[in-house]
Amino acid sequence: MNKMTNFCIFCLLILAPFSAFVSAGEENLIWRNTYHQFGYGLKYQPESQHKTVEYNDALDLLLRNGIKSLLMKKSQYLKGDFAGKKSQYLTGDFAGKKSQYLTGDFAGKKSQYLTGDFAGKKSQYLKGDFAVDPNMTASAVCMNDTLTMIQDIINGTTYAFDMLDSDGKPGSGIKHGNLIWTGNHPQCKQARGPGFNGQMCSVVTNAGYSQMNLHLSFGACLPDSCSETDVGLIVLDALKVIDEQLKVLIYPIGVSCPQDLKYARKDILAIVVSSIIAFAVVMGTLADIVYIYLDSSSDKDNVQGRSDSPPNYNSIPASNVNVNDTTERLGLLSNIPKNEVLYGEIPQSSCNSVVRQILLSFSLITNTRKLLNMSTASGSLTAIYGMRVLSMWWVILGHVYGFLPFLSLVGGSIPKQILIAFSLITNTRKLLSTSTSSGNLTAVNGMRVISMWWVILGHTYVFNIGLLDNVLDFIELIKRFSFQGILNATYSVDTFFFMSGLLVAYTVMKKLRDGGNINWAMFYFHRFWRLTPVYAFAILIWTTLYKHWIWNGTFAMSMRQTDPCDDYWWTNIIYINNFHPHYGNINKQCMGWGWYLANDMQFYILSPLFLILLHKMKYVGHGAMLFFLTGCLTSRMITADYYGMRLPGINTPLNHTHEAWADSSPLYNKPYTRIAPYLVGMWLGYLLVINSNRVRLGKVYLKLLVGWCVAITIGISIIYGLYGFYKDIPVTHLGNKAESIIYIGCSRFGWSIALAWVIFVCATGHGGPVNTFLSWKVWAPLGRLTYCAYIVHPAVIFYFGTTMEKTLHYTDLVFVQQYISLVVVSYCVAFVLSMTVEAPMLGLEKVLFKRWLK
């Protein structure tokens, strides 16, 4: 019997001491670390403060102590004295007699198993308010309900069996990494016991594979009277039986019991803002429909006389209304019988004075209370209230329809343009247009969309790895040559930096070349207006309503922790989140993927410095750009050397890891280490403008051949050059200092050089089939959704992941299906965000700031 087979037996038995009331799994620490990148993280102890119990060690100890002994302990724990001494668990004696329920001499020799300072500082390893006192026990109410559940399991009670049945159990494929035992969350929540309901709590232990940061996680269906502290104590005490057998310390390092999430003020704010936006879109769309109708009419002067024109609501005869009749009122008001009380007001006979009634009639509190009173005096005519509200909305709709035609008399008036800015019809028409304003840079459209798909592809694999029940099989993918394109998907972000610098330089230099003037204040304002409203709205939804959508998800454990957006949302709005908080640590900032937007905005702020110099003093401008480029490459090399980064880990510090800066992605999200592709893009944009997109290549075919060969060689070397390290997993050797520093320092710059060649030949008419493909008109509408797709796609991936009830089993076909569905849904959500926020804001900018945008 080999060790892996023995390990499978161990996993089947590891929960034996408490299998009556704990099991199941929710998520491992790879999934936790994924959420760390986006502002959420379960407060586990760092790896340096707890020792991961390797399964190989556990197997050796288990074999030495014997499986038979562990099976005997199970029966002792669930039957015999445990069941017969229920009352001792509920009394104060329980704390003093804990050793009676811990088999063997474990209780008397606790220090042998609680190594280090764990015995005195239990709270360091357990979530919540676990007491420092190691003798603390679970609350009496929790223990009472738990023991009642156990007794009912023995008696065969239905609800108790459902709770036991809903616990996750070790399944097949453990040697392939199946350490997530989810159980059945809905079944647990539907269980109804005597005075308590079932709740599924998630527990993560320190048992696992330390090299992969993969930990055994399970869920426990326990009474909802148990807090997270209670659950942790129950699991800890149960695991002590295993600790005795294995002579190692296994303990929970994270516990989460989701409670119903209540709506806070910020949630109400998000609903109000969303409602206002939705109302504006509806009104703008209605206005657009009316304008389209008016434009198609041949006789606009007789619009009001048409048979299908809206009714004149001001023509209601006054004689038809008896304003003095309190029983025959207009439908706008309540139709109440004479002798019934209006809004529950005090009858006149109960008032002591007329003065009091007069004063109360002006009271805001009293009148508001009457207004919000849900009780009615209409008897069986309660349906009239719904009819009244719907009729009022119909009246408003009619007035809107009747009023909007008058706006057409003003022609291009500001009110009309503001309404049209929110029109779903107009904005959709603009979005789906295949015409572009990129001139000769139409190839950028295809490059933009493909790069966005590349980003989603990389995130699909990275974010879902923690949901797999065969994660060890997944690791084998890294050995594939083809997988290097997914493993190095981070270069897609450098593509965006390159295109951003290209377009900024191309548009500005073209205007300066033609003698135009640049309003630099509006240059900055336009960028801020272009990015921020959509970004701010996404942050608002992410930190409020989104939590309600995924809160009770099976894998939402990490998302239920403290949200950095609560305290640091403003750093994203002013684009400094790559430096603050926590030195720009992606794991601890609001919407961690926003680091790219911070860098892009910072590059944009610097761009006029280079553009003005290139226009006024081109050699000085080239010198300035060369200086910044050299500084970027040098800073990358110095950082890589200081932190001992070695291939294939191009962003992983090996030295000085205790420093806060080392934990803040010193190479990945800092502007001085990522500006190189942006500068290359600006150089190319400048070159295309001064040569009017016409460059003579002489022996064109030879030069094109050499250029393509060099560009393809550079690109393939960067993306697939590390395959020699990854073909053997685990990695058996690291790169030497020289090759590591050169690759880390120059790889992103080299990638932008390869991209520059592609755009250069396409813009100058030498792109051939590559230009035809990248300039395909279909890319234009999809390209307009790129910004919104980048913002929303992580939230879409998280929603899919957190709301799944079971783990994924990796196969190529499963992930292809997963990827395609995520791309489609992400673009659908991006369409909604673009049509409701992004496009209206751009339309409003043209209306409100038209004078300064010229």
Side-chain angles (χ1 to χ4, degrees):
M1 183 179 291
N2 57 41
K3 288 187 175 182
M4 185 56 71
T5 302
N6 292 334
F7 165 56
C8 296
I9 296 176
F10 166 74
C11 286
L12 292 173
L13 298 173
I14 190 172
L15 300 181
F18 52 101
S19 61
F21 51 95
V22 292
S23 285
E26 180 158 325
E27 53 186 272
N28 55 44
L29 297 190
I30 293 181
W31 188 239
R32 175 209 66 182
N33 287 342
T34 296
Y35 279 118
H36 265 314
Q37 297 180 12
F38 301 97
Y40 297 93
L42 189 60
K43 297 181 179 178
Y44 298 117
Q45 277 293 26
E47 290 290 336
S48 59
Q49 298 185 26
H50 69 71
K51 182 180 184 300
T52 299
V53 177
E54 299 293 341
Y55 278 125
N56 287 336
D57 297 339
L59 282 171
D60 292 338
L61 291 167
L62 179 61
L63 292 173
R64 186 166 61 248
N65 288 275
I67 297 174
K68 181 178 178 181
S69 176
L70 183 58
L71 289 172
M72 292 174 63
K73 300 305 177 185
K74 173 181 178 180
S75 61
Q76 293 179 18
Y77 195 80
L78 295 179
K79 299 179 181 179
D81 291 344
F82 179 81
K85 297 181 179 181
K86 171 179 177 180
S87 59
Q88 294 188 18
Y89 279 87
L90 305 180
T91 62
D93 292 339
F94 174 72
K97 298 181 180 179
K98 182 184 295 185
S99 60
Q100 295 181 17
Y101 309 99
L102 301 176
T103 59
D105 60 353
F106 176 76
K109 299 180 179 180
K110 182 181 293 185
S111 60
Q112 294 181 13
Y113 309 105
L114 303 180
T115 58
D117 59 350
F118 175 75
K121 298 180 179 179
K122 182 187 295 184
S123 61
Q124 292 185 8
Y125 300 91
L126 303 173
K127 185 180 181 294
D129 56 352
F130 278 48
V132 175
D133 183 5
N135 293 321
M136 180 184 179
T137 61
S139 65
V141 176
C142 173
M143 289 304 303
N144 181 40
D145 292 341
T146 301
L147 293 168
T148 299
M149 179 194 69
I150 294 174
Q151 186 63 50
D152 289 342
I153 290 174
I154 298 173
N155 295 336
T157 307
T158 301
Y159 88 87
F161 181 80
D162 287 340
M163 295 182 69
L164 176 62
D165 185 47
S166 65
D167 289 338
K169 288 85 177 173
S172 59
I174 292 175
K175 74 174 186 178
H176 296 276
N178 184 10
L179 301 182
I180 314 172
W181 306 336
T182 57
N184 192 322
H185 285 231
Q187 182 182 8
C188 176
K189 295 176 183 178
Q190 293 170 7
R192 298 292 181 265
F196 61 85
N197 300 323
Q199 69 167 349
M200 184 66 79
C201 295
S202 304
V203 181
V204 180
T205 71
N206 67 318
Y209 297 103
S210 60
Q211 291 184 347
M212 296 176 56
N213 200 22
L214 180 63
H215 290 240
L216 171 65
S217 59
F218 57 88
C221 185
L222 293 170
D224 58 2
S225 57
C226 296
S227 65
E228 293 174 344
T229 302
D230 294 331
V231 174
L233 285 169
I234 293 173
V235 173
L236 179 65
D237 286 340
L239 285 172
K240 287 174 184 175
V241 181
I242 292 179
D243 294 342
E244 178 191 4
Q245 300 299 314
L246 303 182
K247 298 299 186 292
V248 294
L249 181 63
I250 299 177
Y251 51 84
I253 58 176
V255 180
S256 176
C257 301
Q259 304 295 327
D260 291 336
L261 183 62
K262 298 180 179 180
Y263 281 86
R265 292 182 178 178
K266 62 180 182 179
D267 302 322
I268 303 300
L269 175 62
I271 294 175
V272 171
V273 172
S274 301
S275 300
I276 293 174
I277 293 175
F279 178 77
V281 171
V282 170
M283 296 301 297
T285 304
L286 288 175
D288 204 6
I289 293 174
V290 172
Y291 290 131
I292 294 173
Y293 165 76
L294 292 176
D295 291 340
S296 63
S297 175
S298 60
D299 188 7
K300 295 184 179 180
D301 295 333
N302 297 322
V303 169
Q304 294 295 331
R306 293 173 58 98
S307 59
D308 57 351
S309 61
N312 184 359
Y313 294 99
N314 295 323
S315 63
I316 301 177
S319 59
N320 292 339
V321 180
N322 187 354
V323 296
N324 296 321
D325 190 348
T326 58
T327 63
E328 300 279 338
R329 300 182 184 223
L330 284 173
L332 295 174
L333 305 176
S334 300
N335 187 5
I336 302 176
K338 294 182 179 180
N339 297 327
E340 295 194 21
V341 179
L342 178 63
Y343 289 121
E345 60 186 336
I346 302 174
Q348 185 174 0
S349 59
S350 65
C351 298
N352 296 325
S353 66
V354 176
V355 176
R356 178 185 176 187
Q357 296 181 55
I358 295 175
L359 291 176
L360 287 177
S361 65
F362 290 94
S363 170
L364 182 62
I365 298 175
T366 300
N367 292 331
T368 302
R369 187 187 304 117
K370 294 176 181 179
L371 176 66
L372 299 179
N373 187 0
M374 301 294 292
S375 62
T376 64
S378 300
S380 59
L381 299 179
T382 52
I384 200 172
Y385 289 99
M387 185 179 294
R388 181 184 297 118
V389 174
L390 294 176
S391 298
M392 188 64 249
W393 291 353
W394 195 4
V395 170
I396 294 175
L397 179 62
H399 276 126
V400 169
Y401 192 87
F403 171 72
L404 288 177
F406 292 99
L407 293 178
S408 64
L409 300 178
V410 193
S413 64
I414 291 181
K416 173 183 176 180
Q417 296 178 55
I418 292 177
L419 280 173
I420 296 301
F422 287 91
S423 171
L424 187 62
I425 297 175
T426 298
N427 291 331
T428 302
R429 187 188 300 116
K430 293 178 181 178
L431 174 70
L432 298 180
S433 173
T434 57
S435 61
T436 65
S437 58
S438 302
N440 294 71
L441 299 181
T442 52
V444 171
N445 294 326
M447 184 177 289
R448 180 186 293 116
V449 175
I450 294 173
S451 298
M452 187 66 247
W453 290 356
W454 195 9
V455 170
I456 299 177
L457 178 63
H459 285 166
T460 298
Y461 279 82
V462 171
F463 297 164
N464 284 325
I465 189 174
L467 300 176
L468 300 179
D469 61 8
N470 59 336
V471 64
L472 297 183
D473 292 341
F474 180 85
I475 299 302
E476 293 295 315
L477 284 176
I478 300 177
K479 297 181 180 180
R480 297 182 185 176
F481 180 79
S482 59
F483 193 75
Q484 304 307 301
I486 299 174
L487 200 62
N488 291 299
T490 59
Y491 288 95
S492 59
V493 180
D494 295 286
T495 305
F496 286 123
F497 286 141
F498 165 78
M499 290 188 294
S500 181
L502 168 67
L503 294 175
V504 168
Y506 187 84
T507 55
V508 173
M509 294 305 299
K510 190 174 182 180
K511 188 169 185 178
L512 291 176
R513 183 200 62 183
D514 296 338
N517 295 320
I518 304 295
N519 186 333
W520 294 110
M522 290 304 300
F523 176 82
Y524 288 121
F525 176 81
H526 170 73
R527 189 69 164 189
F528 185 84
W529 185 280
R530 171 73 176 81
L531 300 181
T532 308
V534 179
Y535 194 21
F537 182 75
I539 293 174
L540 178 64
I541 299 300
W542 167 265
T543 193
T544 55
L545 301 182
Y546 184 78
K547 285 186 178 180
H548 291 270
W549 300 336
I550 56 91
W551 187 257
N552 291 317
T554 303
F555 294 92
M557 186 177 183
S558 297
M559 299 292 284
R560 291 191 287 265
Q561 306 307 309
T562 302
D563 182 5
C565 290
D566 291 337
D567 299 320
Y568 299 111
W569 59 269
W570 57 272
T571 62
N572 296 63
I573 300 302
I574 62 176
Y575 302 97
I576 62 170
N577 49 298
N578 58 335
F579 285 103
H580 182 79
H582 307 289
Y583 303 99
N585 190 332
I586 295 177
N587 301 335
K588 300 177 182 179
Q589 62 178 257
C590 175
M591 290 179 67
W593 62 98
W595 71 268
Y596 162 77
L597 299 178
N599 279 268
D600 188 75
M601 178 62 78
Q602 291 157 10
F603 299 157
Y604 189 84
I605 293 174
L606 283 176
S607 62
L609 169 66
F610 307 121
L611 296 174
I612 293 174
L613 289 176
L614 287 173
H615 180 63
K616 300 289 186 181
M617 301 172 286
K618 65 177 182 178
Y619 294 110
V620 177
H622 288 303
M625 294 179 68
L626 183 61
F627 175 80
F628 273 79
L629 176 62
T630 304
C632 173
L633 301 182
T634 303
S635 66
R636 292 186 63 85
M637 294 181 182
I638 292 175
T639 302
D641 180 51
Y642 178 78
Y643 288 109
M645 297 178 181
R646 296 292 180 266
L647 298 177
I650 60 177
N651 292 308
T652 306
L654 299 179
N655 299 333
H656 308 287
T657 55
H658 63 283
E659 298 179 358
W661 199 257
D663 194 39
S664 65
S665 304
L667 274 180
Y668 193 71
N669 67 345
K670 299 300 182 291
Y672 50 82
T673 63
R674 299 302 294 264
I675 196 174
Y678 194 91
L679 293 174
V680 172
M682 292 187 66
W683 253 316
L684 178 60
Y686 172 79
L687 177 65
L688 292 175
V689 170
I690 63 174
N691 291 281
S692 301
N693 299 308
R694 292 189 295 271
V695 178
R696 296 180 180 179
L697 296 178
K699 297 181 179 180
V700 59
Y701 294 108
L702 177 62
K703 291 183 178 179
L704 285 176
L705 178 62
V706 172
W708 277 113
C709 289
V710 171
I712 292 174
T713 300
I714 293 175
I716 291 179
S717 299
I718 292 171
I719 302 301
Y720 296 95
L722 302 182
Y723 174 68
F725 295 97
Y726 287 114
K727 66 181 180 180
D728 297 320
I729 296 295
V731 176
T732 56
H733 68 284
L734 298 177
N736 61 50
K737 181 177 180 179
E739 66 182 355
S740 297
I741 290 178
I742 293 175
Y743 181 91
I744 294 173
C746 302
S747 59
R748 300 191 183 277
F749 169 69
W751 177 250
S752 63
I753 293 295
L755 297 176
W757 171 258
V758 175
I759 296 299
F760 172 77
V761 295
C762 290
T764 56
H766 300 95
V770 175
N771 182 51
T772 302
F773 175 73
L774 293 178
S775 300
W776 190 23
K777 291 186 177 182
V778 173
W779 300 127
L782 294 174
R784 297 187 184 102
L785 291 175
T786 300
Y787 175 55
C788 289
Y790 179 83
I791 291 178
V792 304
H793 84 273
V796 173
I797 297 176
F798 294 158
Y799 182 83
F800 271 63
T802 56
T803 56
M804 289 193 308
E805 294 187 6
K806 299 294 181 182
T807 53
L808 284 172
H809 186 82
Y810 178 82
T811 64
D812 291 335
L813 186 59
V814 166
F815 261 62
V816 168
Q817 179 187 26
Q818 189 85 349
Y819 169 65
I820 294 175
S821 62
L822 289 173
V823 169
V824 173
V825 175
S826 294
Y827 272 82
C828 289
V829 177
F831 172 80
V832 175
L833 183 62
S834 178
M835 293 298 97
T836 56
V837 182
E838 182 185 31
M841 291 299 103
L842 293 177
L844 287 178
E845 181 188 27
K846 294 179 181 178
V847 175
L848 302 178
F849 307 102
K850 182 177 181 179
R851 174 182 176 184
W852 296 276
L853 290 175
K854 294 181 179 180

